[in-house]
Amino acid sequence: MTETRNDPAARAPIRLALVGIGKIARDQHVPALRANPAYDLTATASRSGSVEGVPAFYDIDALVTQGPKLDAVSLCTPAAGRHAIAAAAIRAGLHVMLEKPPTTTLAEVADLARLAKDAGVTLFTTWHSRAAPGVAPARAWLAERRIDAVRIVWKEDIRRWHPGQEWILGTGGFGVFDPGINALSIVTAILPQPVLLRAATMDVPEGRASPIAATLTGQSGTAPVTADFDFLQTGPQSWDIEVDTDAGCLHLAMGGSQLTLPGEEPRADAEAEYPTLYARFAELVAGGLSDVDATPLQLVADAYLIAERRTVAPFAF
Ligand code: NAP
């Protein structure tokens, strides 16, 4: 287990291994780690993927038994199977950062929180969209407003953003909730009141386990909340949240990157989601703290509990 080292200048870099070298590990985690002197990307664990110049191991067991000395792992595998990987890492005394969604079930994330606490290591369930630049100012602005209605429209092209990722439509793959949970992570961060679901629909392609489209209806306080998730959106992509208030409509676009407040021009500050997540993880490790929030996962679980399921045409990548 890593000691808590309180003087940032004296702190040695966190020796971190990335587990699951796929799209998000390559696109975001590796650049964010390489740009942050608080980290040393010491190893990877992936059955076929690797990062040039970094010692590679087949899986978590090979990593912890044969790999170099580590302080932490960051898991970029799909959520299905992540509980076992994270539990093995915690048992090895490592701090753990999880891609979203943290696990496939609520009991799994609660179990990891318990294991991490007992082992005295940090567990961080990341929600990268919450680190989008429009989210914190949106939360601050909404805190002083009456919320009248919330509309989420999250429509993207599965073939463009998840090419060949068969797991995403498989059991525990989340389907369209894989991107949709990002919207839920934002609304649960910016709205002053919790979101409660009242109804849902899920369209599951014939022969697949997870939905390719979904709708949600619910409320936050007395304000109606709707969400429209679609994985078959060609042409312009939509990652939009609108919140009607007593002071006009707030619009978060581009997945939380662009904020428009009533009567103002759109603001799109530089995106730094993954650098922000790794800065936060380093703080948590240094402080001996964990940050575990399963609220967006709970909403997806609730949707699965109440949804009307419809079988739709088969889907092929
Ligand atoms: P991906 O491209 O399929 O990469 C995941 C990697 O995990 C695979 O390359 C695979 O590497 C490894 N893996 C281990 N067990 C696996 C299994 N049972 N099935 C498939 N792969 C397995 O997926 P990704 O897009 O990077 O997404 C990974 C996680 O990041 C997901 O939770 C997703 O929600 C999240 N995420 C993705 C994006 C995005 O834009 N793609 C954005 C933000 C967050 P080996 O074959 O080498 O083991």
Side-chain angles (χ1 to χ4, degrees), residues 32-309:
L33 285 164
R34 290 213 154 128
N36 189 336
Y39 290 94
D40 176 59
L41 178 53
T42 306
T44 62
S46 210
R47 298 162 306 181
S48 54
S50 61
V51 175
E52 200 181 338
V54 180
F57 297 84
Y58 182 76
D59 60 13
I60 188 72
D61 292 332
L63 180 72
V64 299
T65 56
Q66 300 153 34
K69 183 102 184 70
L70 293 171
D71 302 302
V73 290
S74 179
L75 305 194
C76 307
T77 55
R82 226 187 260 150
H83 172 267
I85 301 171
I90 292 169
R91 277 196 301 275
L94 301 175
H95 306 292
V96 176
M97 172 163 147
L98 300 174
E99 251 298 351
K100 48 62 55 170
T103 51
T104 40
T105 71
L106 290 161
E108 284 178 342
V109 71
D111 187 55
L112 292 180
R114 178 186 64 81
L115 291 173
K117 184 162 181 280
D118 290 351
V121 299
T122 292
L123 180 67
F124 181 25
T125 57
T126 66
W127 299 103
H128 67 86
S129 293
R130 286 183 176 173
V135 172
R139 174 173 45 231
W141 192 82
L142 289 172
E144 296 171 11
R145 305 289 173 327
R146 188 190 69 225
I147 311 297
D148 291 333
V150 182
R151 291 175 297 278
I152 302 167
V153 178
W154 224 253
K155 297 185 172 191
E156 66 179 51
D157 182 353
I158 185 174
R159 293 185 176 93
R160 178 166 160 200
W161 301 103
H162 305 276
Q165 291 181 356
E166 295 286 343
W167 59 264
I168 217 164
L169 292 172
T171 311
F174 285 81
V176 77
F177 287 105
D178 179 85
I181 203 168
N182 297 333
L184 299 176
S185 76
I186 293 175
V187 293
T188 52
I190 63 175
L191 296 177
Q193 306 254 17
V195 176
L196 306 181
L197 294 191
R198 299 297 183 209
T201 63
M202 296 197 317
D203 291 347
V204 181
E206 193 184 329
R208 302 277 187 172
S210 294
I212 199 136
T215 62
L216 306 177
T217 308
Q219 62 195 74
S220 176
T222 56
V225 177
T226 60
D228 190 356
F229 297 155
D230 191 355
F231 239 161
L232 295 175
Q233 174 85 351
T234 52
Q237 309 285 288
S238 308
W239 298 286
D240 293 292
I241 297 169
E242 288 181 338
V243 184
D244 292 339
T245 76
D246 53 342
C249 181
L250 171 150
H251 183 191
L252 267 175
M254 297 160 57
S257 294
Q258 182 182 284
L259 173 64
T260 309
L261 296 174
E264 296 185 13
E265 290 298 308
R267 269 163 45 185
D269 294 327
E271 207 217 88
E273 293 182 9
Y274 283 81
T276 302
L277 296 181
Y278 276 105
R280 172 82 177 136
F281 187 47
E283 271 173 23
L284 292 170
V285 168
L289 301 169
S290 285
D291 181 347
V292 178
D293 178 14
T295 314
L297 181 64
Q298 177 154 26
L299 286 175
V300 174
D302 285 355
Y304 271 73
L305 280 171
I306 62 173
E308 176 199 344
R309 280 152 209 264

